[in-house]
Amino acid sequence: MTTILSIKDLYKTYAGGFEALKGVSLDIKEGEILALLGPNGAGKTTLISTICGITTPSSGTVTVGGHDIVGDFRAARRMIGLVPQEIALEPFEKVWNTVRFSRGLFGHGPDNARIEEILRKLSLFEKRKSSIKELSGGMKRRVLIAKALAHEPRILFLDEPTAGVDVELRKDMWEIVAELKQAGVTIILTTHYIEEAEAIADRVGVIDKGKLLLVQEKKTMMAQMGKKQIEVMLTEPVAAIPASLAAHNLTLNGTGDTLIYTYDIHAERTGITTLLNDVAQAGLVLRDVQTRQSSLEEIFVNLVSGEPA
Amino acid sequence: MNWTAIAAIYRFEMARFFRTLAQSFLSPVLSTSLYFVVFGTAIGSRIQEVEGVSYGAFIVPGLIMLSVVMLSISNASFGIYFPKFLGTIYELLSAPVTFIEIVIGYVGAAATKALFVGVVILFTASFFVEIRVEHPLAMAAFLILTCLSFSLLGFIVGIWASNFEQISLIPQLVVTPLIFLGGTFYSITMLPPLWQTITLFNPVVYLISGFRWSFYGLADVPIVFSLLAILAFTGLCLAVIWWIFKTGWRIRS
């Protein structure tokens, strides 16, 4: 896959002296979905705003499809669609007109068939004559996506696309993102819903305090950084972990009927066989055994707090 | 030049105007009629003629300027302030457009709306008084230049404003007094000599004088000065806008 977006050593210091980006470098491949994870104030929105031209970079370069975002901004911006975090729409305007406006703003002539296609894809066609103020919050988010797609961008930025939306709409959004990926659109989304990144991203970038801490394939990240745990469920609860099992560093759950063993999946020996033997030797009877892998959320929290996952 | 984008901005702004067409049309008709009733009839009964022109006809150019200037400022300032207020400005800033194109779109639409109202007032006034236009080309030029230059000023106000109160601050505190004291309802020759001199520092005097000259051939100041004043004002507004966009003041962080 070719690189469609290349960020090199990007710095952004605001007028008040706040350093929002501290040397971010990142290459994004065409057709991938990259999720940028980070706590509030990490620099996610500043990064997107800088790439899209809303904020001017202090130093560094960004190229979109080989076009510099400053020197060749017209060509670069034509390739980008942005769905902002906040619902920012003119309340009295009609859905159709606002999408047509966005298309025109990006230099494309009116194309009713294309606008209809976009509105149908986003289940907005029936609402095309409605004023924005008549729409529900979910529909307004769809309008924002329709506006961003109106000029047929090759890269779509979704800044917290599902912040404050209900579960059903969130799933709808994920389906829309999947369809766009199918159509070959590169998608960069920021989120602090870890499950969102886990569900739809190909790669995950973790950003905090203006620095990109890590960018990895989602599966690789989880495999490399994730711990695995075995939960050994007992038929009868125990008051304390038997002394003979002390070497395994087990923890006991609150009800005393589950022993939890954490191990490294990449270690030469996981110690599972020995553990299960020792549990049997200790006279404990197993009811069930299940394994659990660290979620992206745990990895993320540990990365941001500087502790190993 | 991205003309498609300019057309999109212009059309979008004009749509706002057409949504409230009756309001846009009725409001100037009503206010002009009121001015004629109050100023034309009440004061006009005491001032029969000014330099050979009936008082009612004499105030027509000033009335048009009054409305056109105020509307140009408010149209353009709201036009650009609204996207700032609603947050939709993100779309303008991330679009492949230069600031010049943004200005042409917004200022062009604001000036068009003001021009439309100016024509409506002229038409309304013709029902009350007999109007003659001695220099129609000059009249059109003054009207268009006024719409454009004050729309540029309105655009600057809209960029500068950080709340709705600030938008009406400049028109109410600065522009309205200048217009009322700029010879809208009187000829400055009717003032005592000292006030005549002081009034010459009011730039609106040149505007109204020039516009009135295009109607009746009457001018308080030489027509060339009027033309230079409006061109200088337009140039000043353009220079400020150029600086705003170069620095991104109040728009781009």
Side-chain angles (χ1 to χ4, degrees):
Chain A
M1 281 195 288
T2 52
T3 298
I4 194 162
L5 176 66
S6 181
I7 305 163
K8 288 204 168 46
D9 222 14
L10 193 66
Y11 282 83
K12 174 64 191 176
T13 306
Y14 285 104
F18 174 68
E19 282 185 287
L21 297 175
K22 300 170 187 165
V24 173
S25 293
L26 174 65
D27 280 343
I28 293 164
K29 298 180 200 86
E30 188 158 16
E32 74 168 328
I33 300 179
L34 177 89
L36 274 174
L37 289 172
N40 288 331
K44 303 187 295 287
T45 300
T46 302
L47 180 60
I48 287 187
S49 299
T50 309
I51 297 166
C52 293
I54 297 167
T55 305
T56 45
S58 301
S59 66
T61 58
V62 180
T63 55
V64 183
H67 306 286
D68 186 82
I69 58 158
V70 179
D72 193 7
F73 75 96
R74 283 196 203 264
R77 288 184 196 174
R78 275 203 184 99
M79 293 178 69
I80 296 175
L82 168 64
V83 181
Q85 193 171 334
E86 304 290 332
I87 294 178
L89 291 162
E90 183 120 1
F92 303 105
E93 197 50 77
K94 302 267 188 285
V95 171
W96 181 277
N97 291 349
T98 195
V99 175
R100 190 181 59 181
F101 167 70
S102 299
R103 187 175 168 81
L105 199 59
F106 279 74
H108 289 259
D111 182 344
N112 291 348
R114 177 67 189 145
I115 295 173
E116 182 178 334
E117 186 192 329
I118 292 167
L119 292 183
R120 284 195 189 280
K121 189 188 286 180
L122 293 162
S123 310
L124 281 169
F125 190 68
E126 305 305 317
K127 301 277 183 188
R128 67 191 180 282
K129 291 177 183 167
S130 303
S131 299
I132 302 290
K133 64 182 165 62
E134 295 165 12
L135 302 180
S136 66
M139 282 290 175
K140 285 176 185 162
R141 282 206 181 265
R142 285 167 189 267
V143 173
L144 285 176
I145 297 178
K147 281 168 75 68
L149 293 176
H151 63 282
E152 300 157 49
R154 286 173 63 196
I155 303 175
L156 185 68
F157 284 95
L158 295 156
D159 195 0
E160 308 269 357
T162 56
V165 305
D166 61 32
V167 178
E168 198 179 339
L169 182 63
R170 192 176 301 170
K171 293 236 165 93
D172 280 358
M173 287 286 175
W174 294 355
E175 277 173 26
I176 292 166
V177 168
E179 280 175 27
L180 290 170
K181 181 183 159 70
Q182 283 288 314
V185 179
T186 306
I187 293 159
I188 296 131
L189 63 97
T190 69
T191 183
H192 45 237
Y193 292 115
I194 313 293
E195 55 170 6
E196 192 154 274
E198 207 163 349
I200 58 176
D202 298 316
R203 282 200 301 161
V204 177
V206 178
I207 186 167
D208 188 39
K209 298 187 179 88
K211 285 186 175 169
L212 203 55
L213 302 180
L214 183 79
V215 185
Q216 259 182 349
E217 297 288 328
K218 180 181 65 186
K219 287 178 193 160
T220 315
M221 179 186 276
M222 292 186 66
Q224 283 183 357
M225 302 197 67
K227 289 174 182 171
K228 255 194 152 175
Q229 290 182 326
I230 283 189
E231 293 180 352
V232 180
M233 286 165 246
L234 308 171
T235 51
E236 295 292 330
V238 292
I241 297 166
S244 59
L245 299 177
H248 295 290
N249 289 325
L250 301 174
T251 51
L252 189 64
N253 75 342
T255 50
D257 62 357
T258 303
L259 298 169
I260 300 160
Y261 174 62
T262 306
Y263 63 98
D264 181 356
I265 50 173
H266 299 289
E268 201 174 320
R269 286 172 180 276
T270 58
I272 298 170
T273 314
T274 318
L275 168 74
L276 293 179
N277 279 334
D278 289 350
V279 169
Q281 289 281 321
L284 302 174
V285 182
L286 307 189
R287 182 165 54 85
D288 198 358
V289 174
Q290 70 177 37
T291 61
R292 198 176 70 83
Q293 188 154 17
S294 309
S295 70
L296 210 46
E297 181 154 12
E298 287 163 310
I299 298 169
F300 166 68
V301 168
N302 289 329
L303 261 176
V304 169
S305 64
E307 289 171 15
Chain B
M1 194 69 91
N2 187 349
W3 290 107
T4 315
I6 294 171
I9 296 171
Y10 183 85
R11 201 168 42 224
F12 200 74
E13 282 301 294
M14 290 308 289
R16 205 199 307 271
F17 180 64
F18 288 121
R19 269 201 298 269
T20 54
L21 190 62
Q23 203 176 307
S24 312
F25 182 78
L26 281 176
S27 168
V29 170
L30 182 68
S31 59
T32 309
S33 304
L34 281 173
Y35 274 118
F36 274 109
V37 170
V38 176
F39 286 88
T41 313
I43 300 174
S45 62
R46 292 165 184 266
I47 309 170
Q48 296 296 320
E49 279 189 349
V50 182
E51 298 176 46
V53 177
S54 76
Y55 183 71
F58 178 83
I59 64 171
V60 170
L63 282 182
I64 294 173
M65 278 289 152
L66 175 68
S67 295
V68 157
V69 164
M70 299 303 279
L71 277 169
S72 297
I73 295 173
S74 68
N75 288 338
S77 56
F78 275 101
I80 191 65
Y81 180 73
F82 235 57
K84 275 173 57 184
F85 176 73
L86 294 170
T88 54
I89 196 154
Y90 83 86
E91 205 175 12
L92 282 175
L93 297 176
S94 61
V97 291
T98 60
F99 287 119
I100 293 167
E101 289 153 358
I102 294 175
V103 172
I104 296 173
Y106 278 100
V107 169
T112 307
K113 294 177 210 175
L115 189 64
F116 170 82
V117 172
V119 172
V120 167
I121 293 172
L122 183 63
F123 187 71
T124 309
S126 68
F127 285 98
F128 290 89
V129 288
E130 198 179 320
I131 297 167
R132 66 170 199 274
V133 182
E134 287 188 10
H135 308 282
L137 278 179
M139 192 271 275
F142 267 109
L143 193 57
I144 291 168
L145 268 174
T146 304
C147 291
L148 283 174
S149 58
F150 281 89
S151 293
L152 287 170
L153 176 66
F155 192 86
I156 296 167
V157 171
I159 295 279
W160 163 76
S162 46
N163 54 51
F164 279 102
E165 286 72 27
Q166 287 183 342
I167 285 190
S168 52
L169 206 67
I170 299 280
Q172 282 179 358
L173 286 185
V174 182
V175 182
T176 305
L178 287 180
I179 292 176
F180 273 81
L181 298 172
T184 306
F185 299 106
Y186 55 86
S187 163
I188 63 167
T189 55
M190 295 158 82
L191 299 172
L194 175 67
W195 281 104
Q196 281 191 35
T197 311
I198 292 171
T199 303
L200 290 176
F201 289 96
N202 177 356
V204 178
V205 165
Y206 299 86
L207 201 66
I208 293 175
S209 169
F211 195 49
R212 188 173 283 136
W213 172 84
S214 69
F215 278 76
Y216 310 116
L218 300 173
D220 290 328
V221 290
I223 183 67
V224 179
F225 286 5
S226 294
L227 198 60
L228 285 175
I230 185 88
L231 289 175
F233 180 63
T234 308
L236 181 69
C237 289
L238 283 172
V240 173
I241 286 177
W242 175 80
W243 173 81
I244 286 173
F245 289 154
K246 200 173 172 340
T247 58
W249 182 69
R250 302 237 169 164
I251 308 175
R252 186 169 269 148
S253 52

